[in-house]
Amino acid sequence: MPQNPTERRVVVTGPPRRTRRVSGYYRPRTEIDEQTTLGHTYVRSLMRTQLRAALAVFAVLGLLIGPLPLLFAAMPDARRLQWAVLGFGLYAPLVLLARWYVRRAERNERDFVRLVEDR
């Protein structure tokens, strides 16, 4: 019989019987890949922000180009002015709108990737 009681103890190592789930830790990318409800919500949120940007551009285009036929009908003798407005006056606003939309869409996608990436 051993004299020291600690010598009789045997340490058994093995896999833990219970695994704790770390609270607050989740992988959004996995949620999207597995097409869960949360992943669907993430993608839907991205699509909604992209749609909002597109509708804003469409509204500005409608306000910019929509009244032109009425303006041209009010001035039937000013053909050169009409062509100047159509050829040169609309070019700069259209380019600026397109540039704004592309930058906005890229920013939305960057924010989405930042949200989905592992922390």
Side-chain angles (χ1 to χ4, degrees):
M1 216 160 106
Q3 295 176 1
N4 193 351
T6 58
E7 291 177 359
R8 292 187 301 170
R9 292 188 181 184
V10 177
V11 176
V12 178
T13 59
R17 293 182 185 168
R18 293 187 213 160
T19 57
R20 276 190 180 180
R21 190 171 180 192
V22 179
S23 63
Y25 182 73
Y26 64 96
R27 294 182 182 264
R29 182 178 287 180
T30 306
E31 299 286 339
I32 292 169
D33 290 341
E34 293 177 359
Q35 297 180 354
T36 62
T37 305
L38 183 59
H40 179 69
T41 304
Y42 281 134
V43 173
R44 197 167 157 199
S45 171
L46 173 66
M47 297 303 288
R48 200 176 300 137
T49 55
Q50 298 290 48
L51 178 65
R52 200 173 302 134
L55 289 176
V57 168
F58 186 71
V60 170
L61 277 175
L63 292 174
L64 183 68
I65 297 174
L68 286 180
L70 296 174
L71 178 69
F72 293 158
M75 300 183 309
D77 295 335
R79 286 276 185 214
R80 289 186 181 185
L81 177 65
Q82 293 172 1
W83 281 108
V85 167
L86 289 175
F88 300 107
L90 288 179
Y91 184 75
L94 288 178
V95 169
L96 291 175
L97 266 176
R99 187 174 179 169
W100 178 84
Y101 176 74
V102 169
R103 291 183 72 183
R104 180 70 182 197
E106 288 175 350
R107 190 176 85 189
N108 290 340
E109 290 174 4
R110 258 194 324 268
D111 291 346
F112 180 75
V113 167
R114 205 174 293 134
L115 174 73
V116 169
E117 288 297 316
D118 293 334
R119 297 174 192 212

